[in-house]
Amino acid sequence: MKIALIETGTSHDECLYAQVLFLKKAGHHVSLICNETLKSCIKGYDIADEILFFPFSKNTWGLAFRFRKFLLKNKFNKVIFNTAQTSFVKKLSVLPFPAKIEFIGTMHYVNKLLKPTLGQQMINAFIKKYYVLNDYLLIKIPTEIRSKTEAYYPIYFPMYENISLKKASDEIWITIPGKFEFSRRNYKLLFEQLQKQALSPNIKLIFLGRIYQNSEEYEFIQSQIKYSNIVDSCIFFEEFIPVELFHSYIKLSDYILPLVSFETYTHSISGAFNLAFAYQKPLISEKAFVCYSDFAENSIFYVHNNLVETINSTIKEQSHKKYYQSDKWDFEYLQKKYLQLLN
C-alpha cells in the first residue's frame, strides 16, 4: 500500500517516527511529507521511502491546489495527517478528491471531536477516521464514532547517538522534559515546596528544556537560585538542547516528572508521558491520574502538598517495584493497534 504521512503544522514531529516504523515494518511504501520548518527535527527518519518538505506555513489556496495535484499524481492509497486540525488541512478538506483515497488523521485535542467548531466540522467531513494518542483519550470518544477511532502510542524514536554524561552511581535523576514555561507545567508548586523541604542529597532534578533569558521564567529561576538552596540539586539549560543530548538525559533518568495537573490533560496528553513510556521510566504523577491504567501501573503518586516529600521518601520505598509489565508495551501489540484502523 502507498501511504503519505503528512505534517502540515510546525510541531508534533515527535509523533512521526513511530508511525513510519509501524507502517514500514508492515511492508507499506511510506512518503513522509513535512512542513519545511521541521527539516532540522527529522533526524534519523530515513526509514521512510522518501522525505519531502513543503512550505505549508504559507497556507495559500494556490499551494493547496498544487498539493492536491501532487497527492493525485502520486496515487496514494491512504493519506494520514499527523495533525488533523490545521488551517491547511481545512483548505484541503473543501477540494474534490476521488473516493478511493482514504484520509485519516491524528486528533491531538479530543475536545475538538466532542465539540467541533465549524472549521473542524469541515475537516471531520473530509477525514473519516481518527487516531488519538492514549487509551484514556479513546474512552472519551462518543460511542457512535468510536468504531472509526483508535489510540496509538508514538513511543519510538531513532537510535540517536549517546552523549556521555556524568552521573554518580548513587544519584537519582528525576527529569522534567520540555521547555521551561509556566503555561505548561506547575513549576511554582515544586519550588514553593523546595523552599520548605530540601531534596535528599543524592537526588537531582533535570529541567530538560530551554529557559529563555529575559523571560518571566528566567527571572523566577534566578530568584529561586538566590533564595533557595537548589544549586547542587538542579540542572537548568539556557541554550537549545540538541536532540541527541535530550534523549541521552532521558535514557539515564530514573523517573519522569511531567509536573502537570489532571484537569489540564483530560482531553490531550503531555509529551512527557510518551517519553516515559518510550524509555519505560516510571512517572511521578499527580494522584488523580491513578484512574488510568497506564499511570496506575507505572507511577508513583503525589498530592499537591507532598510532592517533595514523595520524591524524598516514596522513591526509596518503591525502588523494588517493577514497571511496564503489561503486554501492551510490546511493539507488536502497539503496531497492531495502529494498523487496525488503517485496514
Side-chain angles (χ1 to χ4, degrees):
M1 195 182 302
K2 196 171 183 183
I3 298 172
L5 175 60
I6 305 168
E7 178 52 73
T8 66
T10 58
S11 59
H12 301 306
D13 51 282
E14 73 282 355
C15 299
L16 292 168
Y17 186 82
Q19 295 181 79
V20 176
L21 191 63
F22 291 150
L23 294 167
K24 287 304 301 173
K25 290 281 188 180
H28 298 299
H29 182 283
V30 181
S31 295
L32 179 59
I33 304 165
C34 296
N35 191 312
E36 62 185 5
T37 61
L38 296 175
K39 277 187 179 179
S40 62
C41 303
I42 312 299
K43 283 186 177 181
Y45 286 40
D46 51 5
I47 58 171
D49 293 281
E50 62 176 346
I51 302 176
L52 304 171
F53 297 95
F54 282 78
F56 292 124
S57 295
K58 292 181 179 178
N59 194 28
T60 63
W61 280 107
L63 180 61
F65 278 104
R66 289 196 300 275
F67 192 65
R68 172 188 176 273
K69 185 177 179 181
F70 165 81
L71 293 177
L72 296 178
K73 181 181 178 181
N74 283 275
K75 298 181 180 179
F76 292 107
N77 306 107
K78 312 271 186 181
V79 174
I80 304 171
F81 292 104
N82 187 54
T83 304
Q85 53 212 66
T86 68
S87 55
F88 190 81
V89 174
K90 185 167 70 174
K91 279 187 169 63
L92 289 177
S93 73
V94 301
L95 301 181
F97 283 93
K100 62 183 179 181
I101 302 179
E102 184 175 43
F103 293 94
I104 302 166
T106 295
M107 186 60 68
H108 295 267
Y109 301 92
V110 297
N111 55 329
K112 290 183 178 289
L113 282 177
L114 305 178
K115 295 181 179 179
T117 60
L118 178 59
Q120 192 61 50
Q121 288 177 38
M122 294 165 59
I123 293 173
N124 292 350
F126 172 59
I127 294 176
K128 303 302 183 184
K129 297 177 182 177
Y130 279 108
Y131 290 111
V132 295
L133 295 178
N134 191 284
D135 287 340
Y136 82 73
L137 299 177
L138 187 63
I139 62 176
K140 300 179 187 298
I141 303 297
T143 306
E144 61 271 20
I145 61 172
R146 195 175 297 174
S147 62
K148 299 178 180 179
T149 313
E150 185 57 87
Y152 85 94
Y153 286 60
I155 60 173
Y156 297 97
F157 299 95
M159 296 294 290
Y160 295 118
E161 176 192 356
N162 273 324
I163 305 299
S164 179
L165 301 170
K166 290 183 179 179
K167 181 184 180 185
S169 59
D170 65 337
E171 278 186 351
I172 294 173
W173 284 9
I174 299 172
T175 296
I176 304 158
K179 269 193 297 190
F180 197 109
E181 293 179 336
F182 291 145
S183 61
R184 292 171 179 255
R185 282 165 282 278
N186 195 351
Y187 299 104
K188 291 183 178 179
L189 167 72
L190 174 60
F191 283 101
E192 282 171 6
Q193 293 189 28
L194 284 173
Q195 289 179 359
K196 300 172 185 175
Q197 182 177 359
L199 286 172
S200 296
N202 66 324
I203 293 176
K204 280 197 182 297
L205 294 177
I206 316 292
F207 292 85
L208 197 60
R210 184 176 182 179
I211 306 175
Y212 285 90
Q213 293 188 18
N214 303 318
S215 66
E216 180 186 2
E217 289 84 357
Y218 184 79
E219 296 301 322
F220 173 79
I221 286 302
Q222 293 305 307
S223 68
Q224 293 301 313
I225 291 173
K226 184 176 180 181
Y227 296 111
S228 305
N229 186 24
I230 62 168
V231 175
D232 295 330
S233 301
C234 301
I235 296 176
F236 301 102
F237 296 85
E238 295 180 20
E239 304 295 333
F240 170 78
I241 305 171
V243 65
E244 295 86 358
L245 182 61
F246 183 92
H247 282 267
S248 294
Y249 269 105
I250 296 292
K251 289 172 189 175
L252 281 178
S253 298
D254 298 284
Y255 296 88
I256 300 294
L257 172 60
L259 208 58
V260 298
S261 71
F262 179 80
E263 290 181 358
T264 305
Y265 284 93
T266 55
H267 292 104
S268 62
I269 66 157
S270 165
F273 301 164
N274 282 336
L275 284 167
F277 300 153
Y279 291 103
Q280 301 202 345
K281 305 293 182 180
L283 288 145
I284 302 174
S285 302
E286 187 184 87
K287 181 69 174 179
F289 282 100
V290 74
C291 64
Y292 300 134
S293 60
D294 288 351
F295 299 86
E297 297 166 8
N298 302 302
S299 291
I300 290 171
F301 294 102
Y302 67 89
V303 293
H304 273 206
N305 62 357
N306 79 342
L307 172 55
V308 173
E309 181 184 343
T310 299
I311 290 172
N312 282 340
S313 61
T314 313
I315 286 176
K316 186 175 181 180
E317 294 167 11
Q318 297 202 22
S319 60
H320 64 282
K321 183 178 176 181
K322 293 187 181 299
Y323 301 96
Y324 298 96
Q325 298 299 295
S326 169
D327 290 343
K328 79 174 294 180
W329 305 110
D330 294 340
F331 176 84
E332 291 76 14
Y333 176 89
L334 295 171
Q335 182 195 35
K336 183 178 178 180
K337 270 179 67 89
Y338 183 84
L339 296 176
Q340 205 166 271
L341 187 70
L342 212 64
N343 298 328

